[in-house]
Amino acid sequence: VSFKPKTDNQRLVLDLIREKSISIVAGRSGSGKTFLTFAEAINQIFDENTPYTRIYLVKSVTTLKGEEVGFLK
């Protein structure tokens, strides 16, 4: 999957995902968290030089007062 981070924060998240084996990403609705993390996970799954063979997508469906769930429902 070919993609480019749109913001400095997205670039930071992408760098952290590449450096760590487990990443937890939080932020505002619509900021690209799910797309960015899932696209990088797909890239790593298909990269023969990584040990990864599975993707675990964990998404909270509990909203806090005044927060939105986001685009993935």
Side-chain angles (χ1 to χ4, degrees):
V1 175
S2 178
F3 66 97
K4 186 169 97 174
K6 291 184 175 183
T7 66
D8 290 338
N9 283 337
Q10 285 185 353
R11 181 170 306 285
L12 175 63
V13 167
L14 191 57
D15 290 342
L16 291 172
I17 290 170
R18 291 175 177 163
E19 291 174 11
K20 307 293 182 183
S21 59
I22 296 175
S23 301
I24 298 172
V25 180
R28 293 184 344 181
S29 168
S31 61
K33 300 175 302 290
T34 303
F35 174 79
L36 184 71
T37 55
F38 199 67
E40 181 58 23
I42 290 171
N43 283 340
Q44 290 192 22
I45 289 291
F46 286 105
D47 182 352
E48 295 175 1
N49 297 318
T50 66
Y52 305 113
T53 58
R54 294 185 189 130
I55 298 172
Y56 294 95
L57 177 62
V58 180
K59 179 110 173 131
S60 172
V61 293
T62 305
T63 58
L64 299 174
K65 185 176 182 180
E67 288 191 5
E68 297 178 23
V69 175
F71 297 105
L72 181 63
K73 297 180 181 179

